[in-house]
């Protein structure tokens, strides 16, 4: 039989900054899909990588004082960089492409030349608008209120000699592709593309730049570099071996089965990409799926917002599987979703700790307690169970009826669990991860209810009479856990493997085929108790910890040092001279009762009479550290009362802000200066 193949990609990421949880979302979804297809017996190619050229990277590298290559290397391969992140998140990509890889650069030059030779790329003058952060060209009519329609930022005028791709030539074919085939999903995105971009008239696309150098050079016209999106989109084919000898998988895997992409880059993937492939006479990918965004407080994610969006921190706090699970369980893949730490904790506690975790630990510990860890022979599925399971696994099965003599809850559980794989497959084939997981959790919920209905602890009171029934109940629970764990593997690979290990499922009982074969576990299966898979998270404690981390991040983003600007308004000299600044020696210093701000100073001001000054500096100084010091005070201010005590002047200090925190330093003078010395 011919091996079934599946080629899936994520967008290749810009290494202009560290990745956040929104970026992780798409890669985790792609990973779940790739693992699902492998489980179902496909030979899978899962590609991800980094998109390393462009003006934004060149500018950022300059600001950081390093070369563009050093800059991207640090974010891609450096500590806690992109490669480390995918390793941590247990991403099973088969290949990783960097657009700065030599083989890719050389292939892009050949591709550009081929479209040029064909007459689809020609030289002209570019006049228009350019959004630097998005690396996107826009025509006047595409701007939104004069700003970039993607990010809302200012655009710049741009005019230079440039090469153009004849996008307009392919408008009709692309429109047909979008409207009359299932090329782009979800369907709502088709209308957006056709109405906003194709119907107003597709203009030719500027595909080279001369104003910066960090890109793939156009080898037949020095000074031009290839537009970063042309360079980036073809990664999906160069990584298979198109126009290079590094890989030999082009014929095997192209066209791609699906490109997963975020909604803002659907335009590039559903209009520009197919048009360029048409120009190259190459087959088109079978599908582009534009997923939604994870939003934070209703808007885009950014580090400056309060919530912690660093996937490293979240994975380390809650576990990699909990994070992977949350992303795909909570948000419908095609729509936007609101990310919050509260929801992450809630989902982990409810689904993983309570429902799945408890089902596993209760089942395994009861098999241990009542049967010494090994079920007795004869507890497996009855003829009726097997018949029922077979019926349930058939997609045309229309409901199960309970025959007299059947145990109703057995019938329900077996029917639900045995038919799960088909229902799950149906959802996975449509990239409906949330629904696929919902199907699994319906079965897990039913199994938890099944425990309560059967009350094994009551059956166990009379083992002699009830042992066969109790063993059968346990067997059904283990089988249910087995089916669920197999189907959870793409989402929570490590934890699902641990479930299978604890219930004693061997390799044969962990396959895709066996997920639809009720009764695969041997009757005398031996369970292995293990650690609690998903310990409950203390929400208050975790949220407090995250808030502290977020605060520290906000502080770190603040300027190191802030000093108040100097006053514009002038003071005349005579007025200034009226202020009497004197050296004062601290004879005593005490905290003021009921005030966490004030310190009370007894000072020698050289007059022979003690002077009392109250100063709000308790946050920065311990009273005992100041005794004996020589300070500066202004002594001719009118006395005023603070916390019921008189203050006869003011101590002089320097203030500034450091990382958002107010800092204060008293002016401490040389001890040689006598008390009362006038400052001028
Ligand atoms: N380099 C381009 C892709 C080129 S593909 C030939 C790019 N890179 S990116 O790093 O800016 O974004 C990568 C992906 O992350 C995009 O699909 C984008 O939609 C996705 N996300 C970025 N922020 C996101 C969220 N907050 N939520 C979900 N996905 C998000 O675009």
């Amino acid at each position: 039989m011919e091996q079934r193949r599946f080629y899936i990609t994520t967008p290749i990421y810009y290494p202009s900054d560290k990745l956040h949880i929104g970026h992780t979302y798409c890669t985790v979804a792609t990973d779940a899909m790739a693992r699902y297809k492998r489980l179902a017996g496909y030979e899978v190619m899962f590609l991800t990588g980094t998109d390393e050229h462009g003006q934004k990277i060149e500018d950022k590298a300059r600001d950081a004082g390093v070369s563009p290559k050093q800059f991207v290397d640090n974010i891609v391969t450096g500590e806690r960089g992109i490669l480390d992140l995918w390793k941590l998140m247990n991403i099973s990509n088969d290949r990783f492409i960097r657009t700065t890889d030599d083989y890719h650069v050389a292939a892009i030059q050949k591709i550009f030349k081929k479209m040029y030779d064909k007459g689809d790329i020609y030289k002209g003058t570019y006049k228009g608008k350019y959004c630097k952060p998005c690396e996107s060209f826009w025509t006047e009519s595409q701007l939104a209120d004069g700003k970039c329609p993607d990010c809302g930022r200012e655009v710049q005028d741009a005019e230079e000699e440039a090469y153009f791709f004849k996008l307009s030539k392919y408008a009709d074919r692309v429109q047909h592709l979008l409207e009359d085939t299932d090329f782009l999903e979800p369907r709502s995105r088709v209308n957006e593309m056709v109405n906003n971009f194709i119907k107003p008239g597709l203009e030719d696309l500027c595909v080279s730049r001369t104003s910066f150098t960090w890109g793939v050079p156009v080898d037949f016209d020095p000074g031009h570099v290839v537009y970063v999106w042309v360079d980036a989109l073809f990664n999906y084919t160069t990584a298979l071996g198109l126009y290079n000898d590094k890989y030999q998988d082009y014929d095997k895997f192209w066209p791609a089965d699906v490109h997963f992409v975020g909604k803002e880059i659907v335009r590039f993937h559903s209009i520009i990409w197919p048009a360029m492939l048409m120009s190259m006479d190459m087959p088109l990918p079978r599908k582009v799926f534009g997923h939604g965004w994870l939003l934070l407080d209703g808007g885009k994610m950014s580090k400056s917002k309060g919530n912690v969006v660093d996937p490293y921190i979240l994975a380390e706090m809650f576990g990699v599987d909990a994070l992977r699970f949350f992303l795909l369980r909570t948000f419908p893949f095609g729509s936007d979703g609101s990310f919050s730490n509260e929801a992450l904790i809630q989902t982990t506690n409810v689904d993983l700790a309570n429902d799945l975790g408890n089902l596993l630990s209760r089942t395994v510990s009861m098999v241990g307690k009542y049967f010494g860890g090994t079920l007795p022979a004869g507890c497996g599925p009855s003829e009726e169970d097997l018949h029922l399971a077979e019926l349930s696994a058939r997609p045309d099965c229309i409901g199960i009826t309970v025959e007299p003599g059947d145990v109703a809850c057995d019938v329900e559980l077996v029917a639900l669990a045995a038919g799960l794989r088909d229902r799950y497959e149906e959802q996975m084939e449509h990239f409906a991860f949330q629904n696929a997981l919902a199907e699994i959790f319906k079965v897990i919920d039913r199994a938890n209810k099944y425990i309560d209905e059967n009350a094994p602890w009551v059956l166990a009171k009379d083992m002699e009479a009830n042992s066969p029934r109790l063993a059968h109940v346990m067997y059904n629970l283990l089988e249910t856990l087995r089916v669920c764990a197999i189907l959870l593997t793409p989402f929570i690979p490590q934890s699902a493997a641990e479930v299978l290990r604890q219930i004693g499922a061997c390799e044969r009982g962990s396959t895709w085929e066996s997920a639809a074969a009720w009764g695969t576990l041997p009757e005398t299966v031996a369970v292995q108790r293990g650690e609690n898979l998903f310990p409950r998270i203390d929400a208050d404690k975790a949220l407090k910890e995250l808030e502290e981390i977020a605060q520290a991040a906000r502080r770190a983003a603040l300027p190191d040092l802030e000093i108040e600007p100097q006053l514009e308004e002038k003071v005349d000299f005579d007025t200034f001279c009226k202020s009497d600044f004197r050296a004062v020696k601290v004879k005593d210093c005490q905290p003021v009762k009921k005030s966490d701000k004030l310190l009370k100073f007894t000072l020698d001001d050289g007059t022979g009479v003690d002077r009392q000054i109250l100063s709000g500096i308790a946050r920065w100084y311990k009273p005992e550290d100041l005794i004996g010091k020589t300070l500066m005070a202004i002594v001719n201010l009118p006395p005023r009362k603070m916390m019921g005590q008189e203050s006869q002047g003011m101590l002089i200090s320097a203030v500034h802000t450091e990382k958002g925190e107010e800092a204060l330093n008293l002016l401490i003078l040389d001890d040689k200066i006598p008390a009362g010395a006038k400052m001028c």
Side-chain angles (χ1 to χ4, degrees):
M1 203 178 80
E2 208 208 323
Q3 173 77 46
R4 292 173 305 167
R5 300 202 175 100
F6 188 74
Y7 178 29
I8 186 168
T9 67
T10 71
I12 49 172
Y13 293 85
Y14 285 127
S16 55
D17 216 333
K18 298 255 166 186
L19 300 189
H20 55 59
I21 191 74
H23 299 114
T24 312
Y25 180 50
C26 183
T27 311
V28 166
T30 314
D31 186 62
M33 197 63 204
R35 285 177 184 269
Y36 154 70
K37 284 288 180 180
R38 283 191 206 109
L39 179 66
Y42 284 72
E43 186 183 359
V44 170
M45 171 63 74
F46 164 12
L47 172 71
T48 187
T50 42
D51 177 7
E52 306 188 354
H53 290 126
Q55 190 166 4
K56 184 165 56 176
I57 304 269
E58 188 175 285
D59 289 353
K60 284 217 165 194
R62 190 181 316 107
D63 292 349
V66 293
S67 73
K69 185 69 167 80
Q70 283 168 329
F71 182 83
V72 292
D73 278 353
N74 179 37
I75 296 184
V76 179
T77 59
E79 204 186 329
R80 291 197 154 215
I82 295 178
L83 286 177
D84 276 359
L85 178 62
W86 299 152
K87 201 163 154 202
L88 171 77
M89 293 305 295
N90 215 348
I91 300 301
S92 64
N93 56 300
D94 300 286
R95 203 154 283 173
F96 190 93
I97 185 171
R98 299 182 61 179
T99 55
T100 48
D101 289 342
D102 290 344
Y103 76 92
H104 172 80
V105 170
I108 291 299
Q109 290 177 326
K110 293 193 180 112
I111 290 165
F112 197 87
K113 182 75 171 30
K114 188 166 174 205
M115 290 193 279
Y116 176 75
D117 288 343
K118 190 174 173 181
D120 276 353
I121 285 182
Y122 62 91
K123 205 171 195 175
T125 306
Y126 176 75
K127 278 201 196 89
K129 304 286 175 187
Y130 189 68
C131 174
K132 211 157 142 185
C134 296
E135 316 261 16
S136 294
F137 292 105
W138 300 101
T139 55
E140 284 286 352
S141 63
Q142 287 172 332
L143 300 179
D145 295 330
K147 306 231 166 81
C148 171
D150 270 354
C151 71
R153 279 180 272 217
E154 295 291 340
V155 288
Q156 301 165 356
D157 283 325
E159 181 174 337
E160 60 190 44
E161 180 188 85
Y163 285 94
F164 286 82
F165 171 67
K166 282 189 183 162
L167 190 57
S168 54
K169 175 175 160 186
Y170 296 97
D172 290 346
R173 278 176 71 189
V174 171
Q175 184 168 353
H176 161 71
L177 175 74
L178 295 181
E179 286 185 328
D180 305 328
T181 74
D182 292 334
F183 176 76
L184 175 60
E185 280 185 26
R187 199 69 204 163
S188 56
R189 308 225 183 267
V190 171
N191 303 335
E192 197 185 318
M193 290 302 118
V194 173
N195 295 336
N196 297 355
F197 298 106
I198 300 185
K199 285 203 174 143
L202 268 191
E203 290 174 31
D204 289 351
L205 178 76
C206 178
V207 288
S208 80
R209 300 300 312 270
T210 51
S211 54
F212 63 93
T213 55
W214 182 239
V216 175
V218 175
D219 50 357
F220 56 87
D221 195 347
H224 286 262
V225 292
V226 175
Y227 174 41
V228 68
W229 271 100
V230 176
D231 168 8
L233 286 162
F234 275 99
N235 92 87
Y236 301 131
T237 56
T238 59
L240 295 180
L242 181 71
Y243 289 119
N244 68 79
D245 294 329
K246 186 166 166 75
Y247 298 112
Q248 276 77 37
D249 296 309
Y250 179 80
D251 292 334
K252 195 166 165 189
F253 285 107
W254 190 256
D257 290 276
V258 62
H259 296 306
F260 277 179
V261 303
K263 62 178 186 180
E264 87 287 15
I265 58 171
V266 162
R267 180 172 74 98
F268 298 94
H269 284 82
S270 67
I271 298 178
I272 298 172
W273 181 221
M276 287 195 302
L277 289 170
M278 287 169 190
S279 166
M280 292 286 290
D281 297 313
M282 285 166 61
L284 305 183
R286 298 200 172 89
K287 198 172 287 302
V288 170
F289 189 94
H291 65 78
W293 272 359
L294 291 194
L295 303 175
L296 200 58
D297 307 328
K300 271 195 148 183
M301 291 204 163
S302 84
K303 271 199 210 146
S304 55
K305 294 209 178 162
N307 242 312
V308 172
V309 289
D310 182 339
Y312 276 104
I313 293 174
L314 296 173
E316 280 160 5
M317 267 184 90
F318 303 116
V320 169
D321 277 351
L323 188 56
R324 289 175 60 110
F325 177 81
F326 166 70
L327 292 174
L328 300 179
R329 167 80 161 132
T330 315
F331 312 108
F333 194 46
S335 327
D336 289 349
S338 245
F339 177 87
S340 76
N341 294 323
E342 287 82 353
L344 168 57
I345 295 169
Q346 160 99 351
T347 306
T348 310
N349 278 347
V350 172
D351 287 344
L352 296 180
N354 279 6
D355 295 350
L356 174 61
N358 274 347
L359 178 63
L360 176 71
S361 65
R362 288 207 289 175
T363 305
V364 171
S365 70
M366 286 189 292
V367 175
K369 190 165 162 199
Y370 305 137
F371 298 101
T374 307
L375 291 182
C379 67
S382 62
E383 282 296 312
E384 289 78 29
D385 282 351
L386 290 176
H387 176 62
L388 175 65
E390 201 185 309
L391 269 184
S392 323
R394 271 179 32 197
D396 59 344
C397 168
I398 33 146
I400 307 295
T401 48
V402 182
E403 300 291 336
D406 283 350
V407 182
C409 58
D410 283 11
V411 172
E412 262 186 54
L413 182 66
V414 174
L416 208 57
L420 175 61
R421 196 194 76 175
D422 285 347
R423 297 193 301 280
Y424 166 93
E425 187 176 16
E426 167 75 18
Q427 299 298 341
M428 291 300 280
E429 287 299 318
H430 290 98
F431 317 118
F433 305 111
Q434 193 193 31
N435 295 350
L437 285 167
E439 290 293 345
I440 299 178
F441 276 79
K442 268 186 224 161
V443 178
I444 291 174
D445 283 351
R446 187 65 195 84
N448 275 317
K449 195 170 144 212
Y450 181 78
I451 297 184
D452 298 337
E453 286 163 341
N454 283 287
W457 44 93
V458 178
L459 291 173
K461 284 192 183 142
D462 186 355
M463 276 303 262
E464 218 173 293
N466 297 333
S467 174
R469 172 67 195 155
L470 183 55
H472 187 58
V473 168
M474 289 300 131
Y475 183 85
N476 282 346
L477 288 170
L478 289 177
E479 268 297 89
T480 306
L481 273 163
R482 186 182 65 79
V483 171
C484 292
I486 294 171
L487 302 179
L488 279 169
T489 305
F491 297 92
I492 47 172
Q494 273 167 346
S495 313
E498 178 59 12
V499 175
L500 290 167
R501 192 192 71 78
Q502 291 195 20
I503 63 170
C506 58
E507 220 170 283
R508 195 173 71 82
S510 311
T511 62
W512 175 251
E513 289 68 32
S514 78
W518 186 260
T520 298
L521 270 187
E523 290 179 338
T524 53
V525 62
V527 301
Q528 324 269 329
R529 274 209 85 164
E531 62 189 67
N532 187 356
L533 260 191
F534 298 105
R536 236 191 118 70
I537 300 164
D538 178 338
D540 290 342
K541 189 165 154 253
L543 287 172
K544 192 162 160 254
E545 223 172 287
L546 285 170
E547 182 47 36
E548 278 161 16
I549 295 171
Q551 257 179 22
R554 277 195 295 264
R555 258 202 308 278
L558 289 169
D560 285 347
L561 196 70
E562 268 182 294
I563 293 171
E564 241 185 70
Q566 296 188 2
L567 295 179
E568 293 287 320
E569 197 185 331
K570 303 286 177 229
V571 171
D572 68 77
F573 194 68
D574 288 346
T575 310
F576 169 72
C577 287
K578 286 184 189 154
S579 306
D580 196 359
F581 290 96
R582 299 284 169 161
V584 290
K585 290 207 186 274
V586 182
K587 291 173 77 178
D588 191 26
C589 180
Q590 298 291 333
V592 173
K593 275 194 199 123
K594 292 194 187 149
S595 167
D596 47 10
K597 290 200 184 116
L598 289 176
L599 293 183
K600 181 168 80 176
F601 289 83
T602 306
L603 303 161
D604 173 1
D605 62 4
T607 60
V609 181
D610 286 348
R611 175 179 290 271
Q612 174 170 298
I613 290 184
L614 285 102
S615 180
I617 59 169
R619 242 177 84 198
W620 294 280
Y621 287 101
K622 287 198 205 119
E624 60 272 24
D625 292 346
L626 293 172
I627 295 173
K629 294 270 188 278
T630 307
L631 307 177
M632 197 205 291
I634 176 164
V635 292
N636 61 341
L637 290 173
R640 64 179 180 132
K641 287 236 163 146
M642 298 158 92
M643 299 293 284
Q645 307 207 38
E646 188 169 281
S647 181
Q648 303 156 330
M650 199 173 93
L651 293 173
I652 306 300
S653 39
V655 285
H656 68 277
T657 308
E658 222 171 302
K659 288 276 171 213
E661 290 267 326
E662 202 184 350
L664 178 142
N665 288 287
L666 277 171
L667 223 61
I668 299 181
L669 304 177
D670 195 312
D671 284 343
K672 285 198 301 255
I673 300 172
K678 184 168 169 65
M679 311 280 132
C680 55

